[in-house]
Amino acid sequence: MKTVPQRFAGAAFDALSAIIAILDDRGVILAVNEAWRTFARENGGDDDVGVNYLSVCEAALGADRRDAQQIAVGIRAVLAGQETLFELEYPCHSPTEQRFFVARVTAFEQDGARFALVAHENITRRKLAELEAARLNAQLESRIQERTQALAASQAKLERQNAELEDRNQALAQFAYVASHDLQEPLRTLGAYADILRHRYTGKVLDERADTYLQRITEQAFRARQLVRDILTLSNVATQPPLSPMNLGVVWDEVARALPWPEGARVTRDDLPEVQANAPQVRQLLANLLGNALKFRSPRPLRVHLSAQAQGAWVQFTVTDNGIGIPQKHAEQVFGMFQRLHSRAAAGGNGIGLAVCRRVVERHGGHIWIESRPEGVQVHFTLPALPGDEAAAPE
């Protein structure tokens, strides 16, 4: 192996980009490279050879004092063999730019003497990048904190509004319940006296016009009582009903058996998966849907069918009939309270049945909607599946 010529050593020493000085065991500068000399000239000094670098560092004043004194302590520790390497990053700004350096001190022995190699490396580019990254991170963290606080405030406001709305709904439900009960008695009395007058005096004392008036009074009293009962039914739909496992097929069969179906009607269902639901409310839901199918039937033989399809954490039920149907443009309108597409004389009722259906389904967290068909309609609604029975929703 060839030995590097001695004349190359000096040239290589001067070619290093780091600012390097060699100190003796007292801290006196014995040699410096070209980078050291250039830096010294640019900052108003000379090559510093023969100067005690430890004394210079320890006598430093101003903003650089602490860093300079730490470097002196590090040099002494390395020369004494207490440390093998000392490193310190420090700022060294000029009037025109920000600059950052890292000081590295190591020791070596030559001819029985111990020397220190002090190197100052310019790390401005890396340090500025780190500072910019830190600034951006701090800015990002600040924005995240602001958004988190805003989200928390928004969530708290939403929870407060929900609590207020819940209180109002409960108060409204209680008012409707009390008002309905209070209204029942005078309406019942009014209807009873109208019936007495109509049966006792019709065709005897009063003329035909008076008989008609009494008939209208009786009919309107009955309608008002029915309306009050409907409002009471709507108010009884609890905000958060207790849920339990149940099979809609059993409830469907019970409700269907209680209705006066016309001759030739067929009411059928598929095998249905169990759901988490409130039995009284689901009974009301099915009673209203079956009652609508019965009420809005066509001259052809009535067919009503209930089917179901698992959809992940939900079960979608579909009630299909072949009645007079609903135009698709009115499919949303019919869920409003007191909304009717047919005259009261033709279909009866107060237009509140589907509003109750929507309230029941939404209180279970589900959705209800209507699709028109060439013959009749399909009413779809979703209810929660039993825990553990969730199947993957269809594509």
Side-chain angles (χ1 to χ4, degrees):
M1 180 176 180
K2 294 183 178 180
T3 304
V4 177
Q6 186 65 30
R7 59 191 179 88
F8 286 171
F13 186 55
D14 283 335
L16 294 173
S17 60
I19 301 170
I20 301 175
I22 298 176
L23 316 182
D24 65 13
D25 57 359
R26 295 172 301 161
V28 175
I29 298 176
L30 301 180
V32 297
N33 68 345
E34 184 59 31
W36 185 289
R37 288 189 288 270
T38 300
F39 184 81
R41 286 194 299 269
E42 290 175 352
N43 290 274
D46 51 27
D47 61 14
D48 296 328
V49 173
V51 176
N52 190 304
Y53 190 61
L54 290 175
S55 298
V56 172
C57 291
E58 291 168 343
L61 299 174
D64 299 336
R65 178 180 179 183
R66 183 176 179 181
D67 294 331
Q69 290 179 347
Q70 282 187 273
I71 292 174
V73 171
I75 293 172
R76 292 186 184 279
V78 170
L79 285 172
Q82 298 171 349
E83 300 286 347
T84 58
L85 172 66
F86 170 80
E87 286 187 331
L88 176 68
E89 293 185 5
Y90 63 95
C92 185
H93 306 319
S94 73
T96 58
E97 64 176 338
Q98 284 187 310
R99 298 182 305 187
F100 296 89
F101 287 81
V102 58
R104 293 189 179 90
V105 182
T106 56
F108 66 92
E109 293 186 359
Q110 180 71 35
D111 299 329
R114 191 170 180 83
F115 301 90
L117 184 82
V118 180
H120 298 268
E121 183 179 354
N122 192 324
I123 58 170
T124 299
R125 181 180 298 178
R126 173 175 66 81
K127 197 67 178 179
L128 290 178
E130 290 177 356
L131 291 174
E132 178 65 13
R135 185 188 68 81
L136 292 175
N137 284 339
Q139 189 178 60
L140 180 60
E141 289 178 0
S142 177
R143 290 180 179 176
I144 291 174
Q145 186 176 11
E146 290 175 0
R147 292 182 180 179
T148 301
Q149 292 174 347
L151 182 60
S154 177
Q155 182 68 22
K157 181 179 179 181
L158 181 60
E159 290 176 356
R160 186 170 59 254
Q161 290 176 339
N162 285 341
E164 292 174 356
L165 181 60
E166 183 66 24
D167 291 341
R168 291 176 184 176
N169 284 340
Q170 290 180 357
L172 182 60
Q174 186 177 10
F175 170 78
Y177 185 83
V178 172
S180 298
H181 276 75
D182 290 347
L183 285 172
Q184 289 276 20
E185 184 58 32
L187 289 172
R188 187 181 301 112
T189 302
L190 177 62
Y193 277 106
D195 280 341
I196 292 173
L197 289 173
R198 186 166 56 87
H199 286 95
R200 181 172 296 180
Y201 298 108
T202 297
K204 298 177 182 177
V205 177
L206 303 177
D207 59 17
E208 185 177 350
R209 179 178 296 181
D211 291 342
T212 302
Y213 291 162
L214 280 175
Q215 180 66 29
R216 295 286 177 83
I217 292 172
T218 303
E219 291 174 354
Q220 293 305 312
F222 176 80
R223 181 193 165 205
R225 290 176 62 188
Q226 183 61 46
L227 181 60
V228 169
R229 284 195 291 268
D230 288 343
I231 294 175
L232 185 59
T233 298
L234 185 62
S235 69
N236 283 336
V237 179
T239 301
Q240 292 181 331
L243 307 182
S244 60
M246 65 173 298
N247 190 322
L248 260 68
V250 176
V251 182
W252 172 271
D253 294 342
E254 292 176 356
V255 172
R257 283 195 298 267
L259 292 175
W261 299 103
E263 185 177 355
R266 291 180 55 191
V267 182
T268 57
R269 65 173 175 85
D270 294 340
D271 290 333
L272 306 174
E274 288 194 338
V275 293
Q276 285 283 103
N278 179 266
Q281 292 193 10
V282 168
R283 184 181 301 276
Q284 184 68 55
L285 167 67
L286 296 181
N288 288 4
L289 294 179
L290 282 169
N292 280 349
L294 178 60
K295 188 184 305 179
F296 300 106
R297 63 184 183 272
S298 67
R300 55 183 167 267
L302 179 59
R303 301 288 183 267
V304 187
H305 184 74
L306 174 64
S307 59
Q309 182 180 18
Q311 294 187 335
W314 299 89
V315 177
Q316 177 180 316
F317 295 91
T318 301
V319 177
T320 305
D321 69 47
N322 64 342
I324 59 177
I326 296 174
Q328 191 62 41
K329 64 180 180 179
H330 298 308
E332 180 64 23
Q333 174 188 341
V334 294
F335 287 105
M337 289 183 62
F338 309 116
Q339 296 296 318
R340 306 173 56 90
L341 299 182
H342 308 281
S343 69
R344 182 173 291 104
N350 293 303
I352 203 172
L354 285 176
V356 172
C357 292
R358 168 166 283 183
R359 179 74 65 89
V360 168
V361 172
E362 290 182 349
R363 288 298 181 264
H364 286 74
H367 303 280
I368 185 170
W369 68 100
I370 288 178
E371 289 184 10
S372 63
R373 304 170 67 240
E375 293 183 356
V377 296
Q378 284 188 325
V379 181
H380 307 279
F381 60 93
T382 57
L383 294 174
L386 285 182
D389 288 353
E390 295 92 339
E395 296 292 336

